[in-house]
Amino acid sequence: MASTVNSPSTPITLPKISSIQTPFLPKTSQLSIFKKKKPFNFVSKKVVSCKASNEQSSSPNRRDVLLGLGGLYGATNLVSDPFALAAPVAAPDLSLCEKSTVTSKSAGTIKVACCPPKSTNIIDFKPPKFSKIRYRPAAHIVDSEYLDKFKEAMEKMKALPEDDPRNFMQQANVHCAYCNGGYDNGDQNQELQIHFSWLFYPFHRWYLYFYERILGKMIDDPNFAMPFWNWDSPRGMVIPEMYVDPNSPLYDEKRNENHQPPKMLDLDYAGTEEELSKRDLIKSNLSVMYRQMVSNKTASLFHGQPYRTGDKPSPGMGAIENNPHTAVHRWVGDKKQPYSEDMGNFYSAGRDPLFYAHHSNVDRMWNIWKSLPGKKPGKKRTDFADTDWLDSSFLFYDENANLNRVKVRDALDTRNLGYDYQRVDIPWLKNKPTPRRPGKGRGQGHGRGQAVAAETKAASVIRNAFPIVLDKVVRIEVPRPKKSRTKHEKEDEEEVLVLQNIQVDRDIAVKFDVYINDEDDETPTEPEDSEFAGSFTNIPHNHHKPGVKLDTNLTLPLSDLLEDLDVEGDDNIEVTLVPKEGKGLVSIGNIKIDYIQD
């Protein structure tokens, strides 16, 4: 029986890989070298706003203004610590919400009204009182009684008046406004963007919490719990049956028609259909889950990079947001729609009821992640302790149509909010990627493209070549500042690969993979290989200023990977970048190795 989880307080013990026998597991650059820094030092610590820009604002932001005041702050607090002034992202002013811009190269530009009803009466959220914990069930195993209640709740939500903030479209527009340029982040030149940063997890937890409370209100059942799409387990790797009935309020016609059941989900999806057997696809999916959940041990690797008031948006995604979160969105969205609606674009994702089941499972991953062993023996993983994260706030309407101001600090434990998740198997804990054996192919029935392998083989190793445009496979030699680190040093700091200033048009879908010391040129590297370090992905979205590119970073863990490949003593590593979607549309400003601790 695979390990299970029911709450973040339940520790999980990882199995020893050498003892596992499962049908899903095989038997067995130019670089700027920095001195040791404080954690998260590769992200500037300015001030927060909700609109991204590559331009430097000429107007002072909140931090600049406060720093200019001098007096008490200048004389005391800021002398010993120049970043002592708190700058958590503040809940937006709904009266200043703007229409969201949606663009694509083929369909042009439209303006979408996503702003919620305005209210001057804001309630500061108080943890709820409840008599028992609500358990969110796995969508593929609910019974008929539950399904009837769920459909009734959805029907009533959709029947609410259009201007009721609890109405289904109003709730869908919450995601549009927060994720597609509706709000500023403390500065009119910076937009608020809750993706690509440490706000991703807490924002979506709060979003689903109030959505669930509204559903319960619709059927007078305060204990109603919404389902989760259990896509991290083979039995749940298809769209749940409850969502595919055209006569159900859970149905959405704007989904990829080629991905209806029994088509199995691809958690490494890159916009094209791959010819993989069911067994190989399951193994690939479980390996993706192991890497993203187990290997990313620190808060910044899991949640994403710090983002404060006045900062440019999108400093860098966390592991699960990057993948499989993005892959599921892209796989479900309808590529025939002008903007890949519904799930394939931030502005429209909330219009598909399946979105909430998807994000419920994403939220479940946060619980599981905190149950896994930490970097140090006997220690579990922990969230950020930074008050700029803990005190970041959002606004949501509750089940009584009251506007609530909520903070990140109140969303750290689902049980304090009155809910948890049904126990289900977690098979990916047994699917640790394994090193490839150079020169040995996998046979004819496996692989995602011999053309990629051929292009990788032809690529020569380069140095001093930044910025890089990913119009082909690129190999870069990257020096390592530290090597042959002791066990204590590895427990204290995670060695990471940082791809800086990744630039791409926001309104296009892209994916590129990152391999480390990939010496087998005859067959393509897959997620189940240790050499596969991770991927970068993007869901189409927009900035309130036309033409402003996404400018972000990607941070990937290396400590376990280098140990698995037995190259911890090497002076350099060879990084291979493989464009899978959006070839020639992505540039990278620099690649370096750093060391982080949370």
Side-chain angles (χ1 to χ4, degrees), residues 466-468 470 499-502 512 577 586-591:
F466 295 103
I468 295 169
L470 288 186
L499 284 70
Q500 298 177 302
N501 300 118
I502 301 171
F512 66 82
L577 306 177
V586 180
S587 67
I588 299 172
N590 188 40
I591 300 179

Side-chain angles (χ1 to χ4, degrees), residues 229-277:
W229 180 6
N230 189 201
W231 37 248
D232 60 305
S233 182
R235 290 183 62 196
M237 289 177 183
V238 296
I239 294 178
E241 184 179 354
M242 69 167 73
Y243 292 95
V244 298
D245 177 4
N247 298 316
S248 169
L250 304 177
Y251 180 75
D252 181 27
E253 64 179 5
K254 294 180 181 179
R255 294 180 189 150
N256 191 318
E257 62 183 13
N258 296 320
H259 294 162
Q260 299 302 305
K263 183 71 172 180
M264 183 168 282
L265 175 66
D266 182 359
L267 296 184
D268 193 41
Y269 184 65
T272 57
E273 304 305 316
E274 301 290 352
E275 297 299 324
L276 295 179
S277 68

Side-chain angles (χ1 to χ4, degrees), residues 283-573:
K283 183 166 67 173
S284 174
N285 287 345
L286 296 180
S287 297
V288 167
M289 290 306 307
Y290 184 99
R291 176 179 291 103
Q292 301 304 91
M293 287 292 291
V294 178
S295 299
N296 290 274
K297 300 175 183 178
T298 69
S300 62
L301 287 171
F302 182 75
H303 282 285
Q305 298 304 312
Y307 177 46
R308 299 177 169 87
T309 297
D311 284 352
K312 286 171 53 178
S314 310
M317 288 183 285
I320 294 297
E321 180 190 357
N322 190 1
N323 203 31
H325 159 261
T326 297
V328 176
H329 269 276
R330 302 267 345 280
W331 190 85
V332 175
D334 186 357
K335 297 176 69 174
K336 293 181 179 180
Q337 297 297 322
Y339 304 99
S340 297
E341 291 96 340
D342 277 327
M343 281 273 279
N345 197 301
F346 280 167
Y347 99 89
S348 55
R351 299 178 182 183
D352 188 340
L354 186 57
F355 167 88
Y356 304 94
H358 167 43
H359 268 277
S360 191
N361 202 41
V362 170
D363 182 68
R364 174 175 161 260
M365 293 302 114
W366 186 1
N367 277 9
I368 296 175
W369 179 79
K370 290 199 289 187
S371 301
L372 298 175
K375 288 186 65 61
K376 295 184 179 181
K379 300 291 185 180
K380 289 195 296 185
R381 301 175 185 194
T382 58
D383 295 319
F384 293 105
D386 191 321
T387 55
D388 281 354
W389 183 65
L390 294 169
D391 290 332
S392 290
S393 57
F394 317 104
L395 293 177
F396 294 98
Y397 281 97
D398 65 18
E399 67 270 26
N400 298 311
N402 295 319
L403 188 59
N404 284 249
R405 180 190 292 112
V406 299
K407 290 187 176 183
V408 169
R409 66 171 63 250
D410 292 321
L412 304 186
D413 188 340
T414 61
R415 297 180 74 86
N416 290 339
L417 295 175
Y419 77 92
D420 208 332
Y421 289 92
Q422 177 184 12
R423 288 180 179 269
V424 292
D425 290 346
I426 309 177
W428 46 262
L429 287 172
K430 297 180 178 180
N431 272 71
K432 181 178 180 180
T434 55
R436 303 176 71 182
R437 295 173 182 170
K440 293 190 68 175
R442 297 184 180 84
Q444 298 300 316
H446 191 281
R448 291 178 181 266
Q450 296 299 325
V452 171
E455 188 177 353
T456 302
K457 183 176 182 179
S460 57
V461 179
I462 62 174
R463 304 174 183 83
N464 303 316
F466 295 103
I468 295 169
V469 176
L470 288 186
D471 55 0
K472 59 181 179 300
V473 174
V474 177
R475 282 181 161 175
I476 309 141
E477 186 178 84
V478 181
R480 297 177 62 216
K482 305 175 184 179
K483 54 184 182 293
S484 301
R485 295 191 300 151
T486 66
K487 179 180 178 182
H488 176 75
E489 288 174 326
K490 287 187 286 186
E491 290 174 353
D492 189 51
E493 291 183 324
E494 176 71 29
E495 185 168 355
V496 295
L497 183 72
V498 186
L499 284 70
Q500 298 177 302
N501 300 118
I502 301 171
Q503 294 195 354
V504 63
D505 288 338
R506 296 166 181 269
D507 60 354
I508 61 173
V510 300
K511 181 180 187 289
F512 66 82
D513 294 338
V514 182
Y515 309 154
I516 303 297
N517 287 20
D518 184 30
E519 299 175 359
D520 185 351
D521 299 324
E522 303 302 324
T523 57
T525 299
E526 308 287 2
E528 57 265 34
D529 301 318
S530 296
E531 291 84 352
F532 192 109
S535 304
F536 173 83
T537 58
N538 181 52
I539 299 174
H541 63 288
N542 287 95
H543 189 280
H544 70 302
K545 292 183 177 179
V548 176
K549 288 181 176 287
L550 173 66
D551 187 349
T552 188
N553 308 289
L554 174 65
T555 306
L556 301 172
L558 288 180
S559 295
D560 288 349
L561 183 152
L562 297 178
E563 185 175 317
D564 291 344
L565 298 181
D566 195 22
V567 294
E568 294 177 291
D570 289 4
D571 293 324
N572 309 287
I573 60 171

Side-chain angles (χ1 to χ4, degrees), residues 21-34:
Q21 298 289 330
T22 84
F24 310 125
L25 185 69
K27 291 184 179 178
T28 283
S29 118
Q30 181 64 19
L31 168 67
S32 298
I33 304 177
F34 291 83

